Amino acid sequence: QKEVEQNSGPLSVPEGAIASLNCTYSDRGSQSFFWYRQYSGKSPELIMSIYSNGDKEDGRFTAQLNKASQYVSLLIRDSQPSDSATYLCAVNRYSSASKIIFGSGTRLSIRP
Amino acid sequence: DGGITQSPKYLFRKEGQNVTLSCEQNLNHDAMYWYRQDPGQGLRLIYYSQIVNDFQKGDIAEGYSVSREKKESFPLTVTSAQKNPTAFYLCASSKTIGTDTQYFGPGTRLTVL
């Protein structure tokens, strides 16, 4: 089992719809969770961090965390073509507190 | 203007050569990291440093070396022992090690000729 798992996609969503990206993790002691967006050929940029169970909203983005189910998701409302990118989920590895583990990413495509 | 810089943007290496990738940050962060990304893959940790003059191996350290002589700088050397070095290399930093958000530089794309 991978430490951080994401569906590789591509996930195709019509413009204006809600895109839902999911991530599961294996380390039950993990405390910090991050979503990064990476455009092709560019470096990852932070979208959101979340540390507590529940929802956290920032503009069109909502991160959801459920530690009991070891599940974190990212919702993108009113999807725009500029949201087309790969989204990386990252989780800290509690058993080795110095490392954050990245999933392999979900490729999102917003179709006009 | 705070941030992380990496140079060069593109680098070509001949077989048997060592090459050094530069990473500089002016965010006053204690922790710095090097990752490797292969096409369609996630990020894999090569080395990390919690503080000046200290660094630790990550998950794929073989064939790489680093130094941390200054807080701002964390150069990565790709040695000839790294058999498949063609990849996108990303440097990151965070305020402290562990749970803090990591911020990335623009990356260096290394190609072996």
Side-chain angles (χ1 to χ4, degrees), chain A residues 52-71:
Chain A
S52 304
N53 276 331
D55 294 0
K56 180 181 178 183
E57 187 175 319
D58 184 0
R60 296 186 296 111
F61 299 95
T62 299
Q64 299 175 318
L65 175 61
N66 183 326
K67 290 185 180 179
S69 300
Q70 295 175 243
Y71 177 94

mmCIF file with all atom_site columns, all heavy atoms in Angstrom, chain A residues 52-71:
data_model
loop_
_atom_site.group_PDB
_atom_site.id
_atom_site.type_symbol
_atom_site.label_atom_id
_atom_site.label_alt_id
_atom_site.label_comp_id
_atom_site.label_asym_id
_atom_site.label_entity_id
_atom_site.label_seq_id
_atom_site.pdbx_PDB_ins_code
_atom_site.Cartn_x
_atom_site.Cartn_y
_atom_site.Cartn_z
_atom_site.occupancy
_atom_site.B_iso_or_equiv
_atom_site.pdbx_formal_charge
_atom_site.auth_seq_id
_atom_site.auth_comp_id
_atom_site.auth_asym_id
_atom_site.auth_atom_id
_atom_site.pdbx_PDB_model_num
ATOM 1   N N   . SER A 1 52 ? -7.013  20.094 10.866 1.00 0.00 ? 52 SER A N   1
ATOM 2   C CA  . SER A 1 52 ? -8.080  19.601 11.739 1.00 0.00 ? 52 SER A CA  1
ATOM 3   C C   . SER A 1 52 ? -9.177  18.961 10.918 1.00 0.00 ? 52 SER A C   1
ATOM 4   O O   . SER A 1 52 ? -9.406  19.342 9.763  1.00 0.00 ? 52 SER A O   1
ATOM 5   C CB  . SER A 1 52 ? -8.680  20.762 12.546 1.00 0.00 ? 52 SER A CB  1
ATOM 6   O OG  . SER A 1 52 ? -7.691  21.437 13.268 1.00 0.00 ? 52 SER A OG  1
ATOM 7   N N   . ASN A 1 53 ? -9.885  18.022 11.530 1.00 0.00 ? 53 ASN A N   1
ATOM 8   C CA  . ASN A 1 53 ? -11.030 17.403 10.871 1.00 0.00 ? 53 ASN A CA  1
ATOM 9   C C   . ASN A 1 53 ? -12.054 18.449 10.455 1.00 0.00 ? 53 ASN A C   1
ATOM 10  O O   . ASN A 1 53 ? -12.254 19.450 11.149 1.00 0.00 ? 53 ASN A O   1
ATOM 11  C CB  . ASN A 1 53 ? -11.708 16.406 11.816 1.00 0.00 ? 53 ASN A CB  1
ATOM 12  C CG  . ASN A 1 53 ? -11.049 15.053 11.788 1.00 0.00 ? 53 ASN A CG  1
ATOM 13  O OD1 . ASN A 1 53 ? -10.475 14.639 10.786 1.00 0.00 ? 53 ASN A OD1 1
ATOM 14  N ND2 . ASN A 1 53 ? -11.113 14.354 12.904 1.00 0.00 ? 53 ASN A ND2 1
ATOM 15  N N   . GLY A 1 54 ? -12.688 18.214 9.302  1.00 0.00 ? 54 GLY A N   1
ATOM 16  C CA  . GLY A 1 54 ? -13.723 19.115 8.842  1.00 0.00 ? 54 GLY A CA  1
ATOM 17  C C   . GLY A 1 54 ? -13.337 19.777 7.542  1.00 0.00 ? 54 GLY A C   1
ATOM 18  O O   . GLY A 1 54 ? -12.505 19.275 6.798  1.00 0.00 ? 54 GLY A O   1
ATOM 19  N N   . ASP A 1 55 ? -13.984 20.900 7.270  1.00 0.00 ? 55 ASP A N   1
ATOM 20  C CA  . ASP A 1 55 ? -13.794 21.628 6.025  1.00 0.00 ? 55 ASP A CA  1
ATOM 21  C C   . ASP A 1 55 ? -13.022 22.917 6.260  1.00 0.00 ? 55 ASP A C   1
ATOM 22  O O   . ASP A 1 55 ? -13.158 23.549 7.304  1.00 0.00 ? 55 ASP A O   1
ATOM 23  C CB  . ASP A 1 55 ? -15.159 21.982 5.415  1.00 0.00 ? 55 ASP A CB  1
ATOM 24  C CG  . ASP A 1 55 ? -15.935 20.758 4.978  1.00 0.00 ? 55 ASP A CG  1
ATOM 25  O OD1 . ASP A 1 55 ? -15.429 19.639 5.135  1.00 0.00 ? 55 ASP A OD1 1
ATOM 26  O OD2 . ASP A 1 55 ? -17.068 20.930 4.467  1.00 0.00 ? 55 ASP A OD2 1
ATOM 27  N N   . LYS A 1 56 ? -12.254 23.281 5.258  1.00 0.00 ? 56 LYS A N   1
ATOM 28  C CA  . LYS A 1 56 ? -11.565 24.569 5.266  1.00 0.00 ? 56 LYS A CA  1
ATOM 29  C C   . LYS A 1 56 ? -11.733 25.175 3.888  1.00 0.00 ? 56 LYS A C   1
ATOM 30  O O   . LYS A 1 56 ? -11.394 24.541 2.886  1.00 0.00 ? 56 LYS A O   1
ATOM 31  C CB  . LYS A 1 56 ? -10.085 24.392 5.592  1.00 0.00 ? 56 LYS A CB  1
ATOM 32  C CG  . LYS A 1 56 ? -9.305  25.692 5.615  1.00 0.00 ? 56 LYS A CG  1
ATOM 33  C CD  . LYS A 1 56 ? -7.842  25.447 5.927  1.00 0.00 ? 56 LYS A CD  1
ATOM 34  C CE  . LYS A 1 56 ? -7.038  26.738 5.902  1.00 0.00 ? 56 LYS A CE  1
ATOM 35  N NZ  . LYS A 1 56 ? -5.587  26.483 6.136  1.00 0.00 ? 56 LYS A NZ  1
ATOM 36  N N   . GLU A 1 57 ? -12.267 26.389 3.849  1.00 0.00 ? 57 GLU A N   1
ATOM 37  C CA  . GLU A 1 57 ? -12.588 27.022 2.574  1.00 0.00 ? 57 GLU A CA  1
ATOM 38  C C   . GLU A 1 57 ? -11.659 28.193 2.310  1.00 0.00 ? 57 GLU A C   1
ATOM 39  O O   . GLU A 1 57 ? -11.320 28.953 3.212  1.00 0.00 ? 57 GLU A O   1
ATOM 40  C CB  . GLU A 1 57 ? -14.045 27.496 2.597  1.00 0.00 ? 57 GLU A CB  1
ATOM 41  C CG  . GLU A 1 57 ? -14.570 28.013 1.285  1.00 0.00 ? 57 GLU A CG  1
ATOM 42  C CD  . GLU A 1 57 ? -16.051 28.342 1.345  1.00 0.00 ? 57 GLU A CD  1
ATOM 43  O OE1 . GLU A 1 57 ? -16.803 27.565 1.954  1.00 0.00 ? 57 GLU A OE1 1
ATOM 44  O OE2 . GLU A 1 57 ? -16.433 29.399 0.808  1.00 0.00 ? 57 GLU A OE2 1
ATOM 45  N N   . ASP A 1 58 ? -11.277 28.332 1.043  1.00 0.00 ? 58 ASP A N   1
ATOM 46  C CA  . ASP A 1 58 ? -10.471 29.485 0.615  1.00 0.00 ? 58 ASP A CA  1
ATOM 47  C C   . ASP A 1 58 ? -10.860 29.802 -0.817 1.00 0.00 ? 58 ASP A C   1
ATOM 48  O O   . ASP A 1 58 ? -10.414 29.134 -1.750 1.00 0.00 ? 58 ASP A O   1
ATOM 49  C CB  . ASP A 1 58 ? -8.979  29.159 0.713  1.00 0.00 ? 58 ASP A CB  1
ATOM 50  C CG  . ASP A 1 58 ? -8.105  30.361 0.369  1.00 0.00 ? 58 ASP A CG  1
ATOM 51  O OD1 . ASP A 1 58 ? -8.645  31.438 0.048  1.00 0.00 ? 58 ASP A OD1 1
ATOM 52  O OD2 . ASP A 1 58 ? -6.863  30.222 0.402  1.00 0.00 ? 58 ASP A OD2 1
ATOM 53  N N   . GLY A 1 59 ? -11.732 30.792 -0.968 1.00 0.00 ? 59 GLY A N   1
ATOM 54  C CA  . GLY A 1 59 ? -12.203 31.148 -2.303 1.00 0.00 ? 59 GLY A CA  1
ATOM 55  C C   . GLY A 1 59 ? -12.988 30.012 -2.920 1.00 0.00 ? 59 GLY A C   1
ATOM 56  O O   . GLY A 1 59 ? -13.929 29.493 -2.328 1.00 0.00 ? 59 GLY A O   1
ATOM 57  N N   . ARG A 1 60 ? -12.592 29.585 -4.121 1.00 0.00 ? 60 ARG A N   1
ATOM 58  C CA  . ARG A 1 60 ? -13.294 28.495 -4.795 1.00 0.00 ? 60 ARG A CA  1
ATOM 59  C C   . ARG A 1 60 ? -12.848 27.114 -4.310 1.00 0.00 ? 60 ARG A C   1
ATOM 60  O O   . ARG A 1 60 ? -13.393 26.108 -4.746 1.00 0.00 ? 60 ARG A O   1
ATOM 61  C CB  . ARG A 1 60 ? -13.057 28.601 -6.310 1.00 0.00 ? 60 ARG A CB  1
ATOM 62  C CG  . ARG A 1 60 ? -13.631 29.849 -6.949 1.00 0.00 ? 60 ARG A CG  1
ATOM 63  C CD  . ARG A 1 60 ? -13.503 29.820 -8.475 1.00 0.00 ? 60 ARG A CD  1
ATOM 64  N NE  . ARG A 1 60 ? -12.132 29.812 -8.938 1.00 0.00 ? 60 ARG A NE  1
ATOM 65  C CZ  . ARG A 1 60 ? -11.553 28.763 -9.542 1.00 0.00 ? 60 ARG A CZ  1
ATOM 66  N NH1 . ARG A 1 60 ? -12.216 27.645 -9.744 1.00 0.00 ? 60 ARG A NH1 1
ATOM 67  N NH2 . ARG A 1 60 ? -10.290 28.856 -9.955 1.00 0.00 ? 60 ARG A NH2 1
ATOM 68  N N   . PHE A 1 61 ? -11.877 27.062 -3.434 1.00 0.00 ? 61 PHE A N   1
ATOM 69  C CA  . PHE A 1 61 ? -11.318 25.794 -2.982 1.00 0.00 ? 61 PHE A CA  1
ATOM 70  C C   . PHE A 1 61 ? -11.805 25.443 -1.569 1.00 0.00 ? 61 PHE A C   1
ATOM 71  O O   . PHE A 1 61 ? -11.862 26.302 -0.698 1.00 0.00 ? 61 PHE A O   1
ATOM 72  C CB  . PHE A 1 61 ? -9.787  25.865 -2.973 1.00 0.00 ? 61 PHE A CB  1
ATOM 73  C CG  . PHE A 1 61 ? -9.178  26.129 -4.314 1.00 0.00 ? 61 PHE A CG  1
ATOM 74  C CD1 . PHE A 1 61 ? -8.842  27.419 -4.711 1.00 0.00 ? 61 PHE A CD1 1
ATOM 75  C CD2 . PHE A 1 61 ? -8.945  25.087 -5.201 1.00 0.00 ? 61 PHE A CD2 1
ATOM 76  C CE1 . PHE A 1 61 ? -8.280  27.659 -5.950 1.00 0.00 ? 61 PHE A CE1 1
ATOM 77  C CE2 . PHE A 1 61 ? -8.381  25.321 -6.448 1.00 0.00 ? 61 PHE A CE2 1
ATOM 78  C CZ  . PHE A 1 61 ? -8.056  26.610 -6.828 1.00 0.00 ? 61 PHE A CZ  1
ATOM 79  N N   . THR A 1 62 ? -12.134 24.162 -1.384 1.00 0.00 ? 62 THR A N   1
ATOM 80  C CA  . THR A 1 62 ? -12.470 23.644 -0.067 1.00 0.00 ? 62 THR A CA  1
ATOM 81  C C   . THR A 1 62 ? -11.707 22.356 0.164  1.00 0.00 ? 62 THR A C   1
ATOM 82  O O   . THR A 1 62 ? -11.799 21.434 -0.651 1.00 0.00 ? 62 THR A O   1
ATOM 83  C CB  . THR A 1 62 ? -13.978 23.370 0.074  1.00 0.00 ? 62 THR A CB  1
ATOM 84  O OG1 . THR A 1 62 ? -14.700 24.578 -0.108 1.00 0.00 ? 62 THR A OG1 1
ATOM 85  C CG2 . THR A 1 62 ? -14.298 22.793 1.454  1.00 0.00 ? 62 THR A CG2 1
ATOM 86  N N   . ALA A 1 63 ? -10.953 22.301 1.246  1.00 0.00 ? 63 ALA A N   1
ATOM 87  C CA  . ALA A 1 63 ? -10.291 21.070 1.643  1.00 0.00 ? 63 ALA A CA  1
ATOM 88  C C   . ALA A 1 63 ? -11.124 20.406 2.718  1.00 0.00 ? 63 ALA A C   1
ATOM 89  O O   . ALA A 1 63 ? -11.678 21.076 3.604  1.00 0.00 ? 63 ALA A O   1
ATOM 90  C CB  . ALA A 1 63 ? -8.883  21.351 2.158  1.00 0.00 ? 63 ALA A CB  1
ATOM 91  N N   . GLN A 1 64 ? -11.223 19.087 2.654  1.00 0.00 ? 64 GLN A N   1
ATOM 92  C CA  . GLN A 1 64 ? -11.981 18.328 3.637  1.00 0.00 ? 64 GLN A CA  1
ATOM 93  C C   . GLN A 1 64 ? -11.074 17.245 4.213  1.00 0.00 ? 64 GLN A C   1
ATOM 94  O O   . GLN A 1 64 ? -10.403 16.533 3.459  1.00 0.00 ? 64 GLN A O   1
ATOM 95  C CB  . GLN A 1 64 ? -13.208 17.676 2.979  1.00 0.00 ? 64 GLN A CB  1
ATOM 96  C CG  . GLN A 1 64 ? -14.176 18.678 2.380  1.00 0.00 ? 64 GLN A CG  1
ATOM 97  C CD  . GLN A 1 64 ? -15.303 17.992 1.627  1.00 0.00 ? 64 GLN A CD  1
ATOM 98  O OE1 . GLN A 1 64 ? -15.083 17.036 0.898  1.00 0.00 ? 64 GLN A OE1 1
ATOM 99  N NE2 . GLN A 1 64 ? -16.521 18.501 1.801  1.00 0.00 ? 64 GLN A NE2 1
ATOM 100 N N   . LEU A 1 65 ? -11.079 17.117 5.534  1.00 0.00 ? 65 LEU A N   1
ATOM 101 C CA  . LEU A 1 65 ? -10.218 16.141 6.202  1.00 0.00 ? 65 LEU A CA  1
ATOM 102 C C   . LEU A 1 65 ? -11.055 15.253 7.109  1.00 0.00 ? 65 LEU A C   1
ATOM 103 O O   . LEU A 1 65 ? -11.859 15.750 7.905  1.00 0.00 ? 65 LEU A O   1
ATOM 104 C CB  . LEU A 1 65 ? -9.137  16.851 7.015  1.00 0.00 ? 65 LEU A CB  1
ATOM 105 C CG  . LEU A 1 65 ? -8.228  15.972 7.874  1.00 0.00 ? 65 LEU A CG  1
ATOM 106 C CD1 . LEU A 1 65 ? -7.444  14.983 7.019  1.00 0.00 ? 65 LEU A CD1 1
ATOM 107 C CD2 . LEU A 1 65 ? -7.280  16.832 8.696  1.00 0.00 ? 65 LEU A CD2 1
ATOM 108 N N   . ASN A 1 66 ? -10.827 13.956 6.998  1.00 0.00 ? 66 ASN A N   1
ATOM 109 C CA  . ASN A 1 66 ? -11.475 12.985 7.871  1.00 0.00 ? 66 ASN A CA  1
ATOM 110 C C   . ASN A 1 66 ? -10.378 12.034 8.355  1.00 0.00 ? 66 ASN A C   1
ATOM 111 O O   . ASN A 1 66 ? -9.988  11.101 7.658  1.00 0.00 ? 66 ASN A O   1
ATOM 112 C CB  . ASN A 1 66 ? -12.563 12.217 7.109  1.00 0.00 ? 66 ASN A CB  1
ATOM 113 C CG  . ASN A 1 66 ? -13.310 11.246 7.995  1.00 0.00 ? 66 ASN A CG  1
ATOM 114 O OD1 . ASN A 1 66 ? -12.750 10.662 8.921  1.00 0.00 ? 66 ASN A OD1 1
ATOM 115 N ND2 . ASN A 1 66 ? -14.593 11.061 7.725  1.00 0.00 ? 66 ASN A ND2 1
ATOM 116 N N   . LYS A 1 67 ? -9.866  12.298 9.542  1.00 0.00 ? 67 LYS A N   1
ATOM 117 C CA  . LYS A 1 67 ? -8.739  11.503 10.055 1.00 0.00 ? 67 LYS A CA  1
ATOM 118 C C   . LYS A 1 67 ? -9.160  10.071 10.394 1.00 0.00 ? 67 LYS A C   1
ATOM 119 O O   . LYS A 1 67 ? -8.363  9.153  10.265 1.00 0.00 ? 67 LYS A O   1
ATOM 120 C CB  . LYS A 1 67 ? -8.136  12.176 11.283 1.00 0.00 ? 67 LYS A CB  1
ATOM 121 C CG  . LYS A 1 67 ? -7.393  13.458 10.964 1.00 0.00 ? 67 LYS A CG  1
ATOM 122 C CD  . LYS A 1 67 ? -6.704  14.010 12.202 1.00 0.00 ? 67 LYS A CD  1
ATOM 123 C CE  . LYS A 1 67 ? -5.954  15.288 11.886 1.00 0.00 ? 67 LYS A CE  1
ATOM 124 N NZ  . LYS A 1 67 ? -5.293  15.857 13.080 1.00 0.00 ? 67 LYS A NZ  1
ATOM 125 N N   . ALA A 1 68 ? -10.397 9.891  10.813 1.00 0.00 ? 68 ALA A N   1
ATOM 126 C CA  . ALA A 1 68 ? -10.846 8.539  11.151 1.00 0.00 ? 68 ALA A CA  1
ATOM 127 C C   . ALA A 1 68 ? -10.817 7.636  9.917  1.00 0.00 ? 68 ALA A C   1
ATOM 128 O O   . ALA A 1 68 ? -10.454 6.456  9.995  1.00 0.00 ? 68 ALA A O   1
ATOM 129 C CB  . ALA A 1 68 ? -12.250 8.584  11.748 1.00 0.00 ? 68 ALA A CB  1
ATOM 130 N N   . SER A 1 69 ? -11.183 8.198  8.785  1.00 0.00 ? 69 SER A N   1
ATOM 131 C CA  . SER A 1 69 ? -11.181 7.443  7.528  1.00 0.00 ? 69 SER A CA  1
ATOM 132 C C   . SER A 1 69 ? -9.874  7.598  6.770  1.00 0.00 ? 69 SER A C   1
ATOM 133 O O   . SER A 1 69 ? -9.717  6.996  5.699  1.00 0.00 ? 69 SER A O   1
ATOM 134 C CB  . SER A 1 69 ? -12.341 7.899  6.648  1.00 0.00 ? 69 SER A CB  1
ATOM 135 O OG  . SER A 1 69 ? -13.572 7.684  7.295  1.00 0.00 ? 69 SER A OG  1
ATOM 136 N N   . GLN A 1 70 ? -8.953  8.425  7.298  1.00 0.00 ? 70 GLN A N   1
ATOM 137 C CA  . GLN A 1 70 ? -7.650  8.662  6.660  1.00 0.00 ? 70 GLN A CA  1
ATOM 138 C C   . GLN A 1 70 ? -7.837  9.127  5.221  1.00 0.00 ? 70 GLN A C   1
ATOM 139 O O   . GLN A 1 70 ? -7.272  8.544  4.273  1.00 0.00 ? 70 GLN A O   1
ATOM 140 C CB  . GLN A 1 70 ? -6.776  7.397  6.765  1.00 0.00 ? 70 GLN A CB  1
ATOM 141 C CG  . GLN A 1 70 ? -6.446  7.086  8.215  1.00 0.00 ? 70 GLN A CG  1
ATOM 142 C CD  . GLN A 1 70 ? -5.696  5.771  8.374  1.00 0.00 ? 70 GLN A CD  1
ATOM 143 O OE1 . GLN A 1 70 ? -6.193  4.841  9.002  1.00 0.00 ? 70 GLN A OE1 1
ATOM 144 N NE2 . GLN A 1 70 ? -4.523  5.709  7.827  1.00 0.00 ? 70 GLN A NE2 1
ATOM 145 N N   . TYR A 1 71 ? -8.581  10.200 5.112  1.00 0.00 ? 71 TYR A N   1
ATOM 146 C CA  . TYR A 1 71 ? -9.057  10.667 3.814  1.00 0.00 ? 71 TYR A CA  1
ATOM 147 C C   . TYR A 1 71 ? -9.020  12.179 3.807  1.00 0.00 ? 71 TYR A C   1
ATOM 148 O O   . TYR A 1 71 ? -9.453  12.836 4.748  1.00 0.00 ? 71 TYR A O   1
ATOM 149 C CB  . TYR A 1 71 ? -10.495 10.157 3.671  1.00 0.00 ? 71 TYR A CB  1
ATOM 150 C CG  . TYR A 1 71 ? -11.235 10.571 2.453  1.00 0.00 ? 71 TYR A CG  1
ATOM 151 C CD1 . TYR A 1 71 ? -11.262 9.759  1.327  1.00 0.00 ? 71 TYR A CD1 1
ATOM 152 C CD2 . TYR A 1 71 ? -11.964 11.753 2.431  1.00 0.00 ? 71 TYR A CD2 1
ATOM 153 C CE1 . TYR A 1 71 ? -11.988 10.132 0.207  1.00 0.00 ? 71 TYR A CE1 1
ATOM 154 C CE2 . TYR A 1 71 ? -12.690 12.129 1.319  1.00 0.00 ? 71 TYR A CE2 1
ATOM 155 C CZ  . TYR A 1 71 ? -12.707 11.304 0.215  1.00 0.00 ? 71 TYR A CZ  1
ATOM 156 O OH  . TYR A 1 71 ? -13.417 11.663 -0.885 1.00 0.00 ? 71 TYR A OH  1
#
